[in-house]
Amino acid sequence: MANPIQEILEKQVLTVAKAMEDKIDDEIASLEKLDEDDLEVLRERRLKQMKKMAEKKKRWISLGHGEYSEIHSEKDFFSVVKASERVVCHFYRENWPCKVMDKHMSILAKQHIETRFVKIQAEKSPFLAERLKIVVLPTLALIKNTKVDDYVVGFNELGGKDDFSTEDLEERIARAQVIHYEGESSSLKPKSTTQVRRNVRQSARSDSDSE
């Protein structure tokens, strides 16, 4: 005697397969209907997109994107932020946790040329540290359109230890939409500014190094 549940499952599978087959047939039919003029339009559109992206990359590289560099003065910080739409700035001091962050930042700078990755020594930037409420080091300021949109404070959000992966940090930065992230999903939503500021104040009690 045939299993009724098995029969239902087989019918569902066949229905889905048929729907997918019909969709592919429709796409093939649409492509076959394209004449030479249509293909030329598509080709031109693609070339324009590629040219636009090439120009963007050229400009980004001219601004220092693609490398992880140090800002030596507070004045330079404002120049960098004004020049690039997206910036990740590492406020650091000479200690082990900050060197761990440096390692991951160097990797991400090469992978995400659309964003400027920089660092600045917090102790030599008292005005910025006070203005941005930098308490725990390392702290990453995630900046969009000249405004600090979010913070990554210490390692608390990265597992609480220094053995987190570059991908962990990449995903965390993506929540602020400061980098283009292929794995981005609806779950990667930026936190509200209020929540971010509260975290910065609370972080003074964390186990990370502080000023």
Side-chain angles (χ1 to χ4, degrees):
M1 182 177 178
N3 188 332
I5 296 177
Q6 183 68 29
E7 289 181 1
I8 291 172
L9 289 173
E10 288 177 357
K11 287 181 180 179
Q12 288 177 341
V13 170
L14 288 172
T15 301
V16 172
K18 182 66 168 59
M20 291 180 65
E21 186 179 341
D22 290 343
K23 184 178 180 181
I24 293 171
D25 288 343
D26 290 342
E27 290 176 355
I28 292 173
S30 297
L31 289 173
E32 288 176 345
K33 290 178 182 177
L34 291 176
D35 57 24
E36 233 175 273
D37 290 338
D38 293 326
L39 290 173
E40 186 61 31
V41 169
L42 290 174
R43 192 178 296 111
E44 285 292 326
R45 186 181 302 166
R46 180 60 180 155
L47 286 172
K48 285 180 181 179
Q49 290 173 343
M50 291 173 65
K51 184 178 179 181
K52 188 176 180 180
M53 181 53 66
E55 290 172 352
K56 276 187 177 182
K57 287 184 177 179
K58 185 177 179 180
R59 180 175 179 275
W60 287 334
I61 291 171
S62 72
L63 292 172
H65 291 224
E67 297 179 0
Y68 178 46
S69 54
E70 181 161 7
I71 300 173
H72 296 286
S73 73
E74 294 178 318
K75 183 180 178 181
D76 290 340
F77 171 86
F78 291 105
S79 298
V80 166
V81 168
K82 287 179 181 178
S84 295
E85 182 182 346
R86 293 172 293 271
V87 179
V88 178
C89 183
H90 173 200
F91 285 84
Y92 82 99
R93 75 189 312 172
E94 293 295 341
N95 63 11
W96 171 249
C98 292
K99 291 184 186 300
V100 171
M101 190 64 79
D102 281 339
K103 178 186 72 173
H104 296 293
M105 291 279 282
S106 296
I107 295 170
L108 291 176
K110 294 179 176 65
Q111 292 178 349
H112 293 279
I113 194 174
E114 74 278 4
T115 301
R116 182 86 190 269
F117 285 79
V118 296
K119 68 177 181 176
I120 187 167
Q121 196 163 351
E123 292 172 342
K124 294 182 179 180
S125 312
F127 172 76
L128 276 175
E130 182 178 355
R131 180 173 176 178
L132 300 180
K133 297 180 174 63
I134 305 298
V135 178
V136 171
L137 299 177
T139 285
L140 303 184
L142 310 182
I143 305 163
K144 288 191 300 183
N145 299 315
T146 74
K147 295 180 181 179
V148 178
D149 193 67
D150 200 353
Y151 294 93
V152 179
V153 182
F155 300 155
N156 289 345
E157 297 180 72
L158 302 168
K161 297 181 180 180
D162 62 11
D163 60 352
F164 62 91
S165 68
T166 302
E167 289 74 22
D168 290 335
L169 181 60
E170 181 181 30
E171 183 175 329
R172 174 60 188 87
I173 294 173
R175 292 178 192 166
Q177 300 175 352
V178 179
I179 58 174
H180 298 321
Y181 183 57
E182 289 184 1
E184 203 165 357
S185 67
S186 57
S187 63
L188 296 178
K189 293 179 180 178
K191 297 181 179 179
S192 67
T193 304
T194 302
Q195 181 66 35
V196 168
R197 287 177 179 168
R198 184 160 62 249
N199 284 345
V200 171
R201 289 197 294 271
Q202 291 173 344
S203 64
R205 297 190 293 274
S206 74
D207 293 332
S208 299
D209 180 63
S210 63
E211 290 186 77

PDB file of all heavy atoms in Angstrom, residues 106-123:
ATOM      1  N   SER A 106      43.987  45.885   9.113  1.00  0.00           N
ATOM      2  CA  SER A 106      44.853  45.837   7.922  1.00  0.00           C
ATOM      3  C   SER A 106      44.269  44.936   6.844  1.00  0.00           C
ATOM      4  O   SER A 106      44.315  45.251   5.649  1.00  0.00           O
ATOM      5  CB  SER A 106      46.254  45.336   8.311  1.00  0.00           C
ATOM      6  OG  SER A 106      46.890  46.236   9.180  1.00  0.00           O
ATOM      7  N   ILE A 107      43.697  43.817   7.271  1.00  0.00           N
ATOM      8  CA  ILE A 107      43.085  42.873   6.331  1.00  0.00           C
ATOM      9  C   ILE A 107      41.837  43.479   5.702  1.00  0.00           C
ATOM     10  O   ILE A 107      41.644  43.440   4.480  1.00  0.00           O
ATOM     11  CB  ILE A 107      42.744  41.553   7.040  1.00  0.00           C
ATOM     12  CG1 ILE A 107      44.020  40.853   7.503  1.00  0.00           C
ATOM     13  CG2 ILE A 107      41.936  40.631   6.112  1.00  0.00           C
ATOM     14  CD1 ILE A 107      43.773  39.663   8.417  1.00  0.00           C
ATOM     15  N   LEU A 108      40.966  44.055   6.535  1.00  0.00           N
ATOM     16  CA  LEU A 108      39.703  44.610   6.039  1.00  0.00           C
ATOM     17  C   LEU A 108      39.920  45.809   5.128  1.00  0.00           C
ATOM     18  O   LEU A 108      39.140  46.037   4.198  1.00  0.00           O
ATOM     19  CB  LEU A 108      38.808  44.995   7.221  1.00  0.00           C
ATOM     20  CG  LEU A 108      38.256  43.819   8.035  1.00  0.00           C
ATOM     21  CD1 LEU A 108      37.463  44.329   9.231  1.00  0.00           C
ATOM     22  CD2 LEU A 108      37.377  42.923   7.171  1.00  0.00           C
ATOM     23  N   ALA A 109      40.959  46.576   5.387  1.00  0.00           N
ATOM     24  CA  ALA A 109      41.242  47.739   4.538  1.00  0.00           C
ATOM     25  C   ALA A 109      41.471  47.318   3.090  1.00  0.00           C
ATOM     26  O   ALA A 109      41.034  47.999   2.153  1.00  0.00           O
ATOM     27  CB  ALA A 109      42.465  48.487   5.066  1.00  0.00           C
ATOM     28  N   LYS A 110      42.133  46.187   2.902  1.00  0.00           N
ATOM     29  CA  LYS A 110      42.396  45.675   1.545  1.00  0.00           C
ATOM     30  C   LYS A 110      41.149  45.057   0.921  1.00  0.00           C
ATOM     31  O   LYS A 110      40.950  45.128  -0.292  1.00  0.00           O
ATOM     32  CB  LYS A 110      43.532  44.645   1.594  1.00  0.00           C
ATOM     33  CG  LYS A 110      44.882  45.221   1.991  1.00  0.00           C
ATOM     34  CD  LYS A 110      45.944  44.135   2.049  1.00  0.00           C
ATOM     35  CE  LYS A 110      47.325  44.712   2.343  1.00  0.00           C
ATOM     36  NZ  LYS A 110      47.398  45.330   3.681  1.00  0.00           N
ATOM     37  N   GLN A 111      40.310  44.459   1.760  1.00  0.00           N
ATOM     38  CA  GLN A 111      39.115  43.788   1.252  1.00  0.00           C
ATOM     39  C   GLN A 111      37.985  44.767   0.939  1.00  0.00           C
ATOM     40  O   GLN A 111      37.148  44.484   0.089  1.00  0.00           O
ATOM     41  CB  GLN A 111      38.625  42.764   2.282  1.00  0.00           C
ATOM     42  CG  GLN A 111      39.568  41.588   2.470  1.00  0.00           C
ATOM     43  CD  GLN A 111      39.074  40.622   3.534  1.00  0.00           C
ATOM     44  OE1 GLN A 111      38.134  40.917   4.267  1.00  0.00           O
ATOM     45  NE2 GLN A 111      39.711  39.469   3.636  1.00  0.00           N
ATOM     46  N   HIS A 112      37.962  45.894   1.616  1.00  0.00           N
ATOM     47  CA  HIS A 112      36.857  46.856   1.467  1.00  0.00           C
ATOM     48  C   HIS A 112      37.402  48.216   1.049  1.00  0.00           C
ATOM     49  O   HIS A 112      37.490  49.154   1.839  1.00  0.00           O
ATOM     50  CB  HIS A 112      36.070  46.959   2.770  1.00  0.00           C
ATOM     51  CG  HIS A 112      35.321  45.711   3.112  1.00  0.00           C
ATOM     52  ND1 HIS A 112      34.097  45.394   2.543  1.00  0.00           N
ATOM     53  CD2 HIS A 112      35.639  44.676   3.937  1.00  0.00           C
ATOM     54  CE1 HIS A 112      33.694  44.225   3.014  1.00  0.00           C
ATOM     55  NE2 HIS A 112      34.600  43.775   3.847  1.00  0.00           N
ATOM     56  N   ILE A 113      37.736  48.300  -0.234  1.00  0.00           N
ATOM     57  CA  ILE A 113      38.320  49.523  -0.763  1.00  0.00           C
ATOM     58  C   ILE A 113      37.328  50.683  -0.747  1.00  0.00           C
ATOM     59  O   ILE A 113      37.696  51.849  -0.847  1.00  0.00           O
ATOM     60  CB  ILE A 113      38.859  49.277  -2.201  1.00  0.00           C
ATOM     61  CG1 ILE A 113      39.756  50.427  -2.630  1.00  0.00           C
ATOM     62  CG2 ILE A 113      37.717  49.046  -3.173  1.00  0.00           C
ATOM     63  CD1 ILE A 113      40.446  50.191  -3.959  1.00  0.00           C
ATOM     64  N   GLU A 114      36.035  50.374  -0.609  1.00  0.00           N
ATOM     65  CA  GLU A 114      35.013  51.427  -0.591  1.00  0.00           C
ATOM     66  C   GLU A 114      35.031  52.235   0.703  1.00  0.00           C
ATOM     67  O   GLU A 114      34.382  53.279   0.796  1.00  0.00           O
ATOM     68  CB  GLU A 114      33.619  50.807  -0.790  1.00  0.00           C
ATOM     69  CG  GLU A 114      33.058  50.052   0.402  1.00  0.00           C
ATOM     70  CD  GLU A 114      33.559  48.625   0.538  1.00  0.00           C
ATOM     71  OE1 GLU A 114      34.425  48.221  -0.284  1.00  0.00           O
ATOM     72  OE2 GLU A 114      33.088  47.912   1.443  1.00  0.00           O
ATOM     73  N   THR A 115      35.786  51.759   1.705  1.00  0.00           N
ATOM     74  CA  THR A 115      35.816  52.398   3.016  1.00  0.00           C
ATOM     75  C   THR A 115      37.246  52.740   3.408  1.00  0.00           C
ATOM     76  O   THR A 115      38.166  51.981   3.122  1.00  0.00           O
ATOM     77  CB  THR A 115      35.192  51.463   4.073  1.00  0.00           C
ATOM     78  OG1 THR A 115      33.846  51.164   3.690  1.00  0.00           O
ATOM     79  CG2 THR A 115      35.185  52.094   5.453  1.00  0.00           C
ATOM     80  N   ARG A 116      37.436  53.880   4.058  1.00  0.00           N
ATOM     81  CA  ARG A 116      38.767  54.280   4.527  1.00  0.00           C
ATOM     82  C   ARG A 116      38.984  53.721   5.934  1.00  0.00           C
ATOM     83  O   ARG A 116      38.163  53.927   6.828  1.00  0.00           O
ATOM     84  CB  ARG A 116      38.867  55.812   4.548  1.00  0.00           C
ATOM     85  CG  ARG A 116      40.243  56.346   4.989  1.00  0.00           C
ATOM     86  CD  ARG A 116      41.186  56.444   3.832  1.00  0.00           C
ATOM     87  NE  ARG A 116      42.547  56.731   4.275  1.00  0.00           N
ATOM     88  CZ  ARG A 116      43.057  57.950   4.414  1.00  0.00           C
ATOM     89  NH1 ARG A 116      42.300  59.001   4.145  1.00  0.00           N
ATOM     90  NH2 ARG A 116      44.303  58.131   4.802  1.00  0.00           N
ATOM     91  N   PHE A 117      40.091  53.028   6.128  1.00  0.00           N
ATOM     92  CA  PHE A 117      40.448  52.461   7.424  1.00  0.00           C
ATOM     93  C   PHE A 117      41.677  53.191   7.964  1.00  0.00           C
ATOM     94  O   PHE A 117      42.732  53.185   7.330  1.00  0.00           O
ATOM     95  CB  PHE A 117      40.753  50.968   7.294  1.00  0.00           C
ATOM     96  CG  PHE A 117      39.527  50.104   7.110  1.00  0.00           C
ATOM     97  CD1 PHE A 117      38.915  49.998   5.866  1.00  0.00           C
ATOM     98  CD2 PHE A 117      38.986  49.408   8.182  1.00  0.00           C
ATOM     99  CE1 PHE A 117      37.786  49.208   5.691  1.00  0.00           C
ATOM    100  CE2 PHE A 117      37.863  48.609   8.015  1.00  0.00           C
ATOM    101  CZ  PHE A 117      37.256  48.511   6.781  1.00  0.00           C
ATOM    102  N   VAL A 118      41.526  53.812   9.137  1.00  0.00           N
ATOM    103  CA  VAL A 118      42.618  54.595   9.717  1.00  0.00           C
ATOM    104  C   VAL A 118      42.697  54.348  11.217  1.00  0.00           C
ATOM    105  O   VAL A 118      41.791  53.773  11.823  1.00  0.00           O
ATOM    106  CB  VAL A 118      42.429  56.106   9.466  1.00  0.00           C
ATOM    107  CG1 VAL A 118      42.483  56.425   7.980  1.00  0.00           C
ATOM    108  CG2 VAL A 118      41.104  56.594  10.067  1.00  0.00           C
ATOM    109  N   LYS A 119      43.784  54.810  11.825  1.00  0.00           N
ATOM    110  CA  LYS A 119      43.904  54.761  13.277  1.00  0.00           C
ATOM    111  C   LYS A 119      44.519  56.064  13.770  1.00  0.00           C
ATOM    112  O   LYS A 119      45.232  56.755  13.038  1.00  0.00           O
ATOM    113  CB  LYS A 119      44.738  53.568  13.723  1.00  0.00           C
ATOM    114  CG  LYS A 119      46.224  53.618  13.352  1.00  0.00           C
ATOM    115  CD  LYS A 119      46.930  52.395  13.934  1.00  0.00           C
ATOM    116  CE  LYS A 119      48.428  52.417  13.605  1.00  0.00           C
ATOM    117  NZ  LYS A 119      49.124  51.274  14.256  1.00  0.00           N
ATOM    118  N   ILE A 120      44.221  56.394  15.034  1.00  0.00           N
ATOM    119  CA  ILE A 120      44.759  57.611  15.643  1.00  0.00           C
ATOM    120  C   ILE A 120      45.026  57.312  17.108  1.00  0.00           C
ATOM    121  O   ILE A 120      44.233  56.628  17.772  1.00  0.00           O
ATOM    122  CB  ILE A 120      43.792  58.803  15.469  1.00  0.00           C
ATOM    123  CG1 ILE A 120      44.439  60.095  15.951  1.00  0.00           C
ATOM    124  CG2 ILE A 120      42.465  58.563  16.178  1.00  0.00           C
ATOM    125  CD1 ILE A 120      43.670  61.347  15.515  1.00  0.00           C
ATOM    126  N   GLN A 121      46.143  57.802  17.619  1.00  0.00           N
ATOM    127  CA  GLN A 121      46.507  57.541  19.000  1.00  0.00           C
ATOM    128  C   GLN A 121      45.642  58.395  19.932  1.00  0.00           C
ATOM    129  O   GLN A 121      45.668  59.621  19.879  1.00  0.00           O
ATOM    130  CB  GLN A 121      47.990  57.838  19.224  1.00  0.00           C
ATOM    131  CG  GLN A 121      48.527  57.242  20.499  1.00  0.00           C
ATOM    132  CD  GLN A 121      50.046  57.176  20.505  1.00  0.00           C
ATOM    133  OE1 GLN A 121      50.700  57.420  19.487  1.00  0.00           O
ATOM    134  NE2 GLN A 121      50.624  56.847  21.641  1.00  0.00           N
ATOM    135  N   ALA A 122      44.871  57.736  20.772  1.00  0.00           N
ATOM    136  CA  ALA A 122      43.898  58.429  21.617  1.00  0.00           C
ATOM    137  C   ALA A 122      44.548  59.417  22.569  1.00  0.00           C
ATOM    138  O   ALA A 122      44.042  60.530  22.777  1.00  0.00           O
ATOM    139  CB  ALA A 122      43.076  57.403  22.398  1.00  0.00           C
ATOM    140  N   GLU A 123      45.672  59.051  23.160  1.00  0.00           N
ATOM    141  CA  GLU A 123      46.312  59.912  24.150  1.00  0.00           C
ATOM    142  C   GLU A 123      46.839  61.206  23.536  1.00  0.00           C
ATOM    143  O   GLU A 123      47.027  62.203  24.238  1.00  0.00           O
ATOM    144  CB  GLU A 123      47.451  59.148  24.831  1.00  0.00           C
ATOM    145  CG  GLU A 123      46.941  57.997  25.699  1.00  0.00           C
ATOM    146  CD  GLU A 123      48.066  57.121  26.207  1.00  0.00           C
ATOM    147  OE1 GLU A 123      49.170  57.184  25.624  1.00  0.00           O
ATOM    148  OE2 GLU A 123      47.849  56.374  27.177  1.00  0.00           O
TER     149      GLU A 123
END
